[in-house]
Amino acid sequence: MPVHAQSSSDDKRLDVIPYIGVDQVVMGPLKGGGDVLTYTNVTAGVTAEVKNRRVEAVVDLQYNHSFGWSSQAVDQDVLSGVGHANFTVAPGLSLQSGGLATRVRTDGLSGASTQRDTFTSQVWSGYVGPSYTTQLGDLNVNGSYRLGYARVDDSVNQNAGAQPNGSFADSWTHSLSGSVGFSPNRVLPGIGLTASAGYDREDASQLDQRFEDLWGRVDATVPLTPTLAAVGGVGYEKIEISQRSPELGADGLPLIRNGRYVTDKSSPRALMYDFDDIIWDAGVLWRPSRRTTLQARVGERYGGMTYQGSFLWQGRDSSVAIILFDGIDSFGRMITADVAALSGSSFDVARNPFTGDITGCAFSATGGGQCFNDALSGITDANFRYRGVSAQYSLRRGPWGWGLGAGYSQRKFITPNGQTVLIRGSRDENWYGNGSVSYMFNDRDSIDLVSYINYFDASGDRPDVLNYGAFTSYYKGLSRRLSASASLGLDGVQADDFETIISAMGQVGLRYSF
């Protein structure tokens, strides 16, 4: 049953709602081939928000089993959800954790939704780690460690004509960092200094791949006006990416098992990427109020110029975040970092009512929302130079809720010479957009509208994919615990050498909350 605990302070909240549900779904082609598919979905899930003096946590988790009504509508199991938790252990010491579960396509249509599709993979990601911050006299001291794990489980139907998703299986990541410094005018007049260092490592099971990044730097902040400061830093960084060779068969070709290379454990570790140099950057920091921060930097790293920046605005009931990024990344590190970026006391997760999948973004009017579209498009086992921009806007005011997310990225692959799937130096590009709006008529009845678009421009022989769609849902409270829903939607997929498919969808269902 739902748990509601209120105190005299608005800072304390406990709201845990488990539920079960059943709904009927029909999908029919408006364009392209395919049959009319009918499913009965049975769901069980929980939403929870906890906030008190020591704990701040938000969870949205759902299990969905689909019973197909024909040979073309196969039974499916979907576990999807996001969550994060922050535990205050002692003054200055906290423990953070979080997780994500969702599905992606594995038939070559990277970034497309899973409508009418059996070639899917289940994605898992989670992290846990402590952070510590304190002040020793005039010095600010910070330290943190994060242990992350990411995994992709392929559908058993993948060998029935589906294309591989890039061979990623699973990986463990470690991220350790610390800093010590002082603010301007605390020790030296007109300048603030911070010394920081860190170590990042990822161990992936595919070919025993390893990523290591060791860095240290000193940053300076020089106020120019009460709201504007010059910032910059210089340091040293060493990055190595290595992996072992695959086992070879009698024909001299690499052995592949379950869609992935078989690692030759006795082979020497080959170095694929080696960066060892001085790094620097400089820019400006503008902070006109405690709600608004703008930062822009240009520098040299990874053997070339880099450009990074951010704009953050936090209102009373809305937030804006725009990030310009440039780095060396992988699917495992990227999806774990996305999950770790979730924060805030609440967020809105839009679900596809026809499949149970998360549509891509978790919006938070209190800041700390995150879109996962980019990480989940074109999953590969390769490391890559990762550059792009992402933006998110969220608002929760009265009966209205709004969420907008958009972004663009480019991945330039770092692979061994001779690889045939992803060529060294080849590039993928991804554009995505998500929008949602909801309106509460009262505490029982509501309506929402969700739209999405994703264009994945793939390198090599993989197809370019455009996916777009929208759906609207109406929720009607029948009693304090029982509610009904009805949804209508449209989904389109267009890809190279594939016939464009546009599907119409309908759903009606019941949900009981405990």
Side-chain angles (χ1 to χ4, degrees):
M1 61 182 294
V3 179
H4 303 278
Q6 300 291 337
S7 71
S8 58
S9 171
D10 293 336
D11 292 335
K12 293 185 178 182
R13 181 170 63 254
L14 176 60
D15 196 348
V16 181
I17 305 176
Y19 61 86
I20 57 174
V22 60
D23 57 76
Q24 191 67 33
V25 176
V26 60
M27 301 181 183
L30 297 180
K31 182 178 181 181
D35 301 321
V36 175
L37 304 181
T38 304
Y39 293 92
T40 298
N41 294 330
V42 177
T43 62
V46 61
T47 61
E49 292 185 26
V50 180
K51 185 177 181 181
N52 56 44
R53 189 170 59 89
R54 289 189 174 273
V55 179
E56 183 177 270
V58 183
V59 175
D60 187 316
L61 181 65
Q62 178 177 285
Y63 167 77
N64 182 330
H65 181 81
S66 297
F67 296 92
W69 282 31
S70 68
S71 60
Q72 299 298 318
V74 299
D75 291 2
Q76 300 182 69
D77 292 285
V78 181
L79 181 64
S80 62
V82 293
H84 84 88
N86 181 56
F87 304 91
T88 300
V89 180
L93 178 63
S94 61
L95 180 69
Q96 291 88 33
S97 64
L100 165 75
T102 189
R103 288 195 303 177
V104 295
R105 291 182 69 140
T106 53
D107 59 354
L109 302 185
S110 298
S113 68
T114 57
Q115 311 310 9
R116 303 171 57 84
D117 181 70
T118 59
F119 304 117
T120 60
S121 292
Q122 182 75 39
V123 176
W124 315 86
S125 180
Y127 79 97
V128 63
S131 66
Y132 181 71
T133 180
T134 190
Q135 189 160 341
L136 300 176
D138 292 325
L139 297 180
N140 302 312
V141 180
N142 298 278
S144 66
Y145 168 73
R146 185 173 72 214
L147 173 66
Y149 180 72
R151 182 182 181 90
V152 176
D153 290 326
D154 290 334
S155 166
V156 296
N157 297 313
Q158 182 177 331
N159 57 9
Q163 298 183 18
N165 66 2
S167 302
F168 185 90
D170 68 336
S171 73
W172 290 92
T173 57
H174 307 265
S175 182
L176 177 67
S177 64
S179 66
V180 58
F182 54 85
S183 303
N185 301 318
R186 295 297 297 267
V187 176
L188 297 177
I191 187 171
L193 291 175
T194 299
S196 56
Y199 174 73
D200 297 279
R201 174 167 171 160
E202 180 182 22
D203 291 283
S205 59
Q206 174 71 183
L207 296 180
D208 197 15
Q209 190 177 94
R210 180 181 298 166
F211 167 90
E212 290 185 286
D213 181 6
L214 177 66
W215 57 272
R217 57 182 292 154
V218 176
D219 286 270
T221 302
V222 181
L224 304 177
T225 72
T227 61
L228 183 67
V231 294
V234 61
Y236 165 82
E237 184 173 32
K238 181 175 178 59
I239 300 177
E240 290 186 354
I241 304 175
S242 62
Q243 68 180 38
R244 301 189 189 278
S245 301
E247 288 188 13
L248 302 180
D251 55 3
L253 297 176
L255 293 177
I256 296 177
R257 185 178 299 138
N258 298 325
R260 297 181 174 90
Y261 291 116
V262 178
T263 305
D264 182 357
K265 296 293 187 179
S266 64
S267 65
R269 184 171 294 278
L271 194 62
M272 295 189 301
Y273 182 84
D274 187 9
F275 172 79
D276 183 3
D277 207 347
I278 300 297
I279 58 174
W280 66 267
D281 56 57
V284 294
L285 172 63
W286 181 54
R287 189 170 291 159
S289 70
R290 62 182 181 85
R291 296 179 179 270
T292 306
T293 301
L294 171 67
Q295 186 168 188
R297 291 179 181 242
V298 59
E300 188 170 3
R301 193 178 183 185
Y302 315 123
M305 298 301 294
T306 62
Y307 306 89
Q308 295 179 307
S310 63
F311 173 78
L312 304 175
W313 180 80
Q314 180 61 63
R316 184 175 60 86
D317 49 16
S318 58
S319 66
V320 176
I322 303 173
I323 308 294
L324 178 68
F325 53 86
D326 186 349
I328 302 292
D329 224 323
S330 70
F331 169 73
R333 300 196 302 280
M334 184 164 60
I335 192 66
T336 302
D338 283 352
V339 175
L342 281 174
S343 62
S345 58
S346 64
F347 48 72
D348 296 321
V349 179
R351 290 185 179 277
N352 188 313
F354 314 104
T355 65
D357 292 327
I358 298 172
T359 57
C361 295
F363 296 108
S364 175
T366 60
Q370 186 66 33
C371 289
F372 306 100
N373 315 60
D374 203 35
L376 297 173
S377 295
I379 296 176
T380 76
D381 65 325
N383 282 263
F384 42 83
R385 179 75 179 271
Y386 184 47
R387 289 176 279 199
V389 61
S390 64
Q392 192 170 358
Y393 167 75
S394 183
L395 178 145
R396 171 64 63 183
R397 180 174 298 166
W400 289 98
W402 297 81
L404 295 172
Y408 161 80
S409 70
Q410 180 195 88
R411 310 178 196 185
K412 183 178 180 181
F413 294 105
I414 303 169
T415 63
N417 292 323
Q419 182 167 330
T420 58
V421 178
L422 295 172
I423 306 302
R424 187 178 183 90
S426 61
R427 293 174 171 85
D428 286 350
E429 293 182 296
N430 191 55
W431 290 261
Y432 69 88
N434 283 76
S436 68
V437 57
S438 62
Y439 182 80
M440 298 286 297
F441 297 100
N442 50 55
D443 59 355
R444 291 186 179 182
D445 306 335
S446 65
I447 189 171
D448 61 35
L449 172 66
V450 175
S451 61
Y452 52 88
I453 185 169
N454 197 97
Y455 178 66
F456 187 77
D457 186 355
S459 59
D461 296 329
R462 297 171 299 156
D464 299 341
V465 182
L466 173 65
N467 174 234
Y468 51 88
F471 57 83
T472 183
S473 302
Y474 177 72
Y475 304 92
K476 174 68 177 178
L478 304 178
S479 68
R480 191 171 72 90
R481 300 183 184 275
L482 185 65
S483 63
S485 64
S487 305
L488 293 174
L490 190 74
D491 181 79
V493 179
Q494 179 180 337
D496 295 342
D497 301 325
F498 287 86
E499 183 180 11
T500 298
I501 298 176
I502 300 177
S503 303
M505 299 161 289
Q507 175 265 357
V508 291
L510 293 172
R511 173 180 292 190
Y512 184 83
S513 300
F514 294 90

